[in-house]
């Protein structure tokens, strides 16, 4: 009996187990999906129904999700859900059933809703057409103004870089300098575009903005140059007029010349700094800007001006010619002249003239055919003035206002663009007329015999005459040049042209003539004809 009882007990256990399984299966089958479910713990979202699939994300405990159906995988049942609009799975062991999910009934649209949807669709279509039209217009504008756009882009880069560099040199924030440079470039670009629509700078009068910007940016450099000019010869302010007797003057000239040499040596750090600023920083920036513009916006038809296909074809050639070759020469000669300026003192001086003369003086005719239209001028030459009061030669001022006065004299102008040529000038031995013999001093002025000043200078080895113009209240410097010896001058090295009318630094088409790497300069240095 005991054996039979044992068998009965085992049968009863299996029967109970089958009943429990059937009840669980029936309850599982009664659950309706899709349904809302809640996680009972932190739960991984996987890419398939099993732990071997990649984990996509994780749910927090208590998150409510929608399970669409149940699938059987390894480790039990897995619920299909949507994750980032892709099918994904969670283990149903850690999910409790809440209630069936009933999709919302489709909304019945009213006539006004249908009309609104139609209007939105129409507006979307019109906007797409408008975008295409705007793209076409933009392409046409680029094709029409591509040279100006390139010029503006080049300006933006140069002004931003130059502003950052200048602010860094003088102890400011380079980021602020770059922003100031970009603002100036934006204004210049606006003027270029307005010019194309017939709205000139005179109509809008942007010149005052550029003039203020120019004077603010150049003020530190200008004042350092003025400081050097004052310290190199501080006694000039005592000898504005001839009040010393002719007997004392010879000894006084020798003493002051020796003192001048001592001061030049003592001021070498300041002179070197000014030379670096004007020779390397400013000259390289303005010179490279002219060359870069020539690469992207050529002025010569033979190099692609006005012809897109020629522009593309000759683009590599222009890079080699302007940026690589002439750009490298500018850098080399700037560094060389900075070193030379230590031993052969130079000052930053100002020469007033008009745009026609200014461009003829500074342009290289070999690189620019536009200079052929200004046959009146000998290209690369500062033409000697024959009617000025301080001698026959090329005139310079240490003050910008004086050069501006020269430039804006109506009888000097050939056009409506007064120009100040900012130059590095090696004045050489300079004679203050107040320290010359009385008969020489008397020849300076409106009624003097100006050729006598040149004769005296040539006889005693002076290169430049210094004269206080009492009527005007300023110093004038005349580099003696009766026979126009300074064709392609090495003593006079233009740094840039400032246009008084527009308030902008003048762009030189084709780039400036080189200071050193020019046959005329070499002949002048070697003393050959």
């Amino acid at each position: 009996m005991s054996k039979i009882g044992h068998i009965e007990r085992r049968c009863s256990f299996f029967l109970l187990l089958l009943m429990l399984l059937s009840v669980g299966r029936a309850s599982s089958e009664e659950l309706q999906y899709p349904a809302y479910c809640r996680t009972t713990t932190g739960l991984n979202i996987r890419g398939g129904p099993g732990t071997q699939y990649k984990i996509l994300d994780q749910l927090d405990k208590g998150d409510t999700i929608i399970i669409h159906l149940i699938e059987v995988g390894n480790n039990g049942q897995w619920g299909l859900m949507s994750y980032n609009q892709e099918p994904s799975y969670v283990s149903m062991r850690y999910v409790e059933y809440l209630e069936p999910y009933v999709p919302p009934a489709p909304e019945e649209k009213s006539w006004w809703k249908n009309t609104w949807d139609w209007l939105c669709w129409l507006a979307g279509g019109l906007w797409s057409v408008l975008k295409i039209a705007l793209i076409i217009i933009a392409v046409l504008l680029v094709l029409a103004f591509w040279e100006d756009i390139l010029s503006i882009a080049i300006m933006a880069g140069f002004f931003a870089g130059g502003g950052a560099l200048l602010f860094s040199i003088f102890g400011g924030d380079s980021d602020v300098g770059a922003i100031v440079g970009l603002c100036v470039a934006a204004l210049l670009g606006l003027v270029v575009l307005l010019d194309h629509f017939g709205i000139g700078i005179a109509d809008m009068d942007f010149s005052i903005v550029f003039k203020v910007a120019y004077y603010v940016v150049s003020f530190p450099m200008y004042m350092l140059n003025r400081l050097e000019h004052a310290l190199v010869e501080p006694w000039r302010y005592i000898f504005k007029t001839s009040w010393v007797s002719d007997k004392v003057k010879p000894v006084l000239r020798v003493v002051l010349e020796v003192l001048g040499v001592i001061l030049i040596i003592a001021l070498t750090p300041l002179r070197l700094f000014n030379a670096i600023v004007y020779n390397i920083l400013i000259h390289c920036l303005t010179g490279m800007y002219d060359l870069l513009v020539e690469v992207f916006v050529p002025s010569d038809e033979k190099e692609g001006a006005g012809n897109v296909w020629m522009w593309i074809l000759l683009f590599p050639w222009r890079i080699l010619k302007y940026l690589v070759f002439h750009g490298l020469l500018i850098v080399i000669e700037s560094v060389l002249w900075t070193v030379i300026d230590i031993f052969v003192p130079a000052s930053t001086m100002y020469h007033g003239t008009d745009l026609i003369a200014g461009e003829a003086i500074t342009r290289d005719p070999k690189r620019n055919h536009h200079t052929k239209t200004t046959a009146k001028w000998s290209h690369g030459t500062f033409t000697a003035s024959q009617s000025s009061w301080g001698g026959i030669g090329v005139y310079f001022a240490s003050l910008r206002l004086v050069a501006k006065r020269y430039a804006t004299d109506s009888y000097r102008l050939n056009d409506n663009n007064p120009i100040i040529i900012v130059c590095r000038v090696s004045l050489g031995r300079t004679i203050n007329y107040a320290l010359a013999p009385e008969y020489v001093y008397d020849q300076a002025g409106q009624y003097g015999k100006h050729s006598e000043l040149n004769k005296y200078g040539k006889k005693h080895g002076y290169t430049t005459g210094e004269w206080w113009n009492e009527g005007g209240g300023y110093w004038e410097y005349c580099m003696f040049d009766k026979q126009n010896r300074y064709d392609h001058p090495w003593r006079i090295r233009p740094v840039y042209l400032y246009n008084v009318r527009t308030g902008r630094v003048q762009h030189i088409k084709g780039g400036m003539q080189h200071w050193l790497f020019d046959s005329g300069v070499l002949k002048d240095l070697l003393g050959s004809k």
Side-chain angles (χ1 to χ4, degrees):
M1 288 296 292
S2 60
K3 187 176 182 178
I4 295 173
H6 178 68
I7 293 171
E8 287 179 350
R9 283 195 300 273
R10 291 182 64 181
C11 290
S12 300
F13 174 76
F14 282 113
L15 181 62
L16 179 61
L17 180 61
L18 289 172
M19 290 176 65
L20 289 173
L21 289 173
S22 63
V23 170
R25 186 163 52 250
S27 61
S28 177
E29 291 173 355
E30 289 175 359
L31 300 178
Q32 297 179 6
Y33 291 93
Y36 290 108
C37 298
R38 182 187 297 117
T39 58
T40 59
T41 185
L43 185 58
N44 292 327
I45 302 174
R46 295 184 179 271
T51 55
Q52 73 273 23
Y53 291 96
K54 180 181 178 181
I55 296 176
L56 304 178
D57 204 346
Q58 193 172 47
L59 296 170
D60 295 328
K61 180 180 179 181
D63 286 348
T64 300
I65 56 176
I66 298 175
I67 300 296
H68 295 279
L69 56 88
I70 304 297
E71 294 186 17
V72 178
N74 68 337
N75 305 104
Q77 294 181 332
W78 292 79
L80 174 66
M81 61 175 289
S82 176
Y83 175 76
N84 288 340
Q85 299 182 349
E86 295 291 335
S88 55
Y89 293 84
V90 293
S91 175
M92 296 303 291
R93 289 183 180 181
Y94 309 105
V95 172
E96 62 177 349
Y97 187 92
L98 294 179
E99 60 181 355
Y101 167 74
V102 180
E107 181 183 358
E108 293 185 5
K109 296 183 178 180
S110 60
W111 68 269
W112 65 267
K113 180 65 174 175
N114 290 329
T115 304
W116 175 254
D117 291 343
W118 181 83
L119 290 174
C120 290
W121 174 85
L122 181 61
L126 292 174
W127 173 240
S128 300
V129 173
L130 181 60
K131 285 193 291 185
I132 295 172
L134 289 174
I135 293 172
I136 294 173
I137 292 172
V139 171
L140 292 175
L141 286 173
V142 169
L143 291 175
F145 301 105
W146 63 278
E147 292 183 342
D148 298 315
I149 292 172
L150 286 173
S151 298
I152 293 170
I154 295 169
M155 274 194 296
F158 263 84
F159 275 77
L165 189 58
L166 287 174
F167 271 63
S168 298
I169 289 175
F170 292 100
D173 189 339
S174 59
D175 293 336
V176 175
I179 293 172
V180 171
L182 284 174
C183 291
V184 174
L187 286 173
L188 289 172
L190 178 62
V191 171
V192 171
L193 292 178
L194 289 175
D195 285 341
H196 270 286
F197 292 102
I199 306 175
I201 199 159
D203 301 321
M204 301 299 294
D205 199 19
F206 285 105
S207 60
I208 186 65
V209 178
F210 299 131
K211 290 175 182 177
V212 170
Y214 169 76
Y215 281 103
V216 168
V217 172
S218 63
F219 180 76
M221 297 169 285
Y222 178 74
M223 293 308 297
L224 285 174
N225 187 66
R226 293 289 303 136
L227 178 63
E228 177 189 338
H229 181 263
L231 295 179
V232 165
E233 190 187 339
W235 50 83
R236 73 163 60 90
Y237 303 101
I238 301 174
F239 300 105
K240 290 183 177 180
T241 59
S242 179
W243 56 271
V244 180
S245 68
D246 282 356
K247 292 182 179 181
V248 178
K249 285 182 179 179
V251 176
L252 189 59
R253 286 197 299 269
V254 173
V255 172
L256 293 180
E257 194 162 7
V258 172
L259 287 176
V261 172
I262 295 173
L263 284 176
I264 287 173
I265 296 172
L267 293 171
T268 297
L270 177 59
R271 293 191 301 107
L272 179 60
F273 181 82
N274 284 337
I276 291 172
V277 169
Y278 283 96
N279 288 352
I280 297 178
L281 177 61
I282 300 178
H283 177 58
C284 284
L285 277 177
T286 55
M288 293 298 290
Y289 170 74
D290 289 333
L291 296 178
L292 191 61
V293 171
E294 203 63 31
V295 169
F296 288 96
V297 191
S299 58
D300 193 342
E301 293 181 357
K302 295 181 180 179
E303 294 186 344
N307 188 316
V308 176
W309 298 112
M310 286 288 288
W311 186 95
I312 296 172
L313 181 65
L314 295 175
F315 184 73
W317 161 250
R318 293 196 303 275
I319 291 178
L320 291 174
K321 177 181 177 181
Y322 291 102
L323 288 186
V324 177
F325 180 70
H326 288 293
L328 183 61
L329 292 184
I330 286 178
V331 174
I332 293 173
E333 68 183 6
S334 297
V335 174
L336 286 176
W337 274 114
T338 300
V339 176
I340 293 172
D341 280 355
I342 299 174
F343 306 99
V344 183
S347 301
T348 301
M349 309 290 281
Y350 306 92
H351 179 83
T353 184
D354 56 44
L355 182 58
I356 294 175
E359 289 186 330
I361 290 169
T362 56
R363 278 177 177 172
D364 186 342
K366 297 175 183 177
R367 279 183 275 148
N368 198 301
H369 299 288
H370 295 273
T371 53
K372 293 179 179 179
T373 61
T374 55
K376 174 182 176 181
W377 299 92
S378 178
H379 303 300
T381 301
F382 282 83
T383 304
S385 174
Q386 303 293 321
S387 60
S388 295
W389 298 353
I392 300 172
V394 183
Y395 276 76
F396 296 95
S398 59
L399 294 172
R400 285 185 299 206
L401 288 176
V402 178
K404 180 181 177 182
R405 178 175 176 176
Y406 290 160
T408 52
D409 282 343
S410 58
Y411 71 91
R412 300 177 188 269
L413 286 175
N414 291 279
D415 56 25
N416 193 33
N417 286 283
I419 290 289
I420 296 175
I421 305 178
V422 181
C423 306
R424 292 290 290 173
V425 184
S426 298
L427 293 172
R429 289 190 70 211
T430 303
I431 176 64
N432 183 341
Y433 293 147
L435 295 174
E438 191 70 25
Y439 79 92
V440 175
Y441 176 77
D442 291 339
Q443 307 310 315
Q446 184 175 4
Y447 303 107
K449 191 176 181 181
H450 307 136
S451 59
E452 292 298 320
L453 300 172
N454 290 65
K455 289 179 181 179
Y456 178 82
K458 183 178 180 180
K459 180 179 179 180
H460 294 85
Y462 292 108
T463 309
T464 304
E466 181 182 47
W467 179 60
W468 173 254
N469 188 324
E470 194 169 0
Y474 51 79
W475 291 97
E476 288 185 311
Y477 294 84
C478 174
M479 185 172 285
F480 302 129
D481 193 12
K482 183 177 181 180
Q483 297 178 351
N484 213 25
R485 291 180 294 114
Y486 299 117
D487 297 353
H488 308 284
W490 64 269
R491 287 188 178 274
I492 309 170
R493 305 183 293 278
V495 178
Y496 65 89
L497 270 64
Y498 173 72
N499 191 313
V500 177
R501 182 181 67 84
T502 64
R504 290 180 282 170
V505 175
Q506 185 70 35
H507 166 54
I508 305 300
K509 294 180 179 179
M512 277 191 175
Q513 178 179 279
H514 287 299
W515 288 352
L516 180 60
F517 300 105
D518 183 273
S519 59
V521 175
L522 295 175
K523 288 178 181 178
D524 191 22
L525 286 171
L526 297 174
S528 59
K529 295 182 179 180

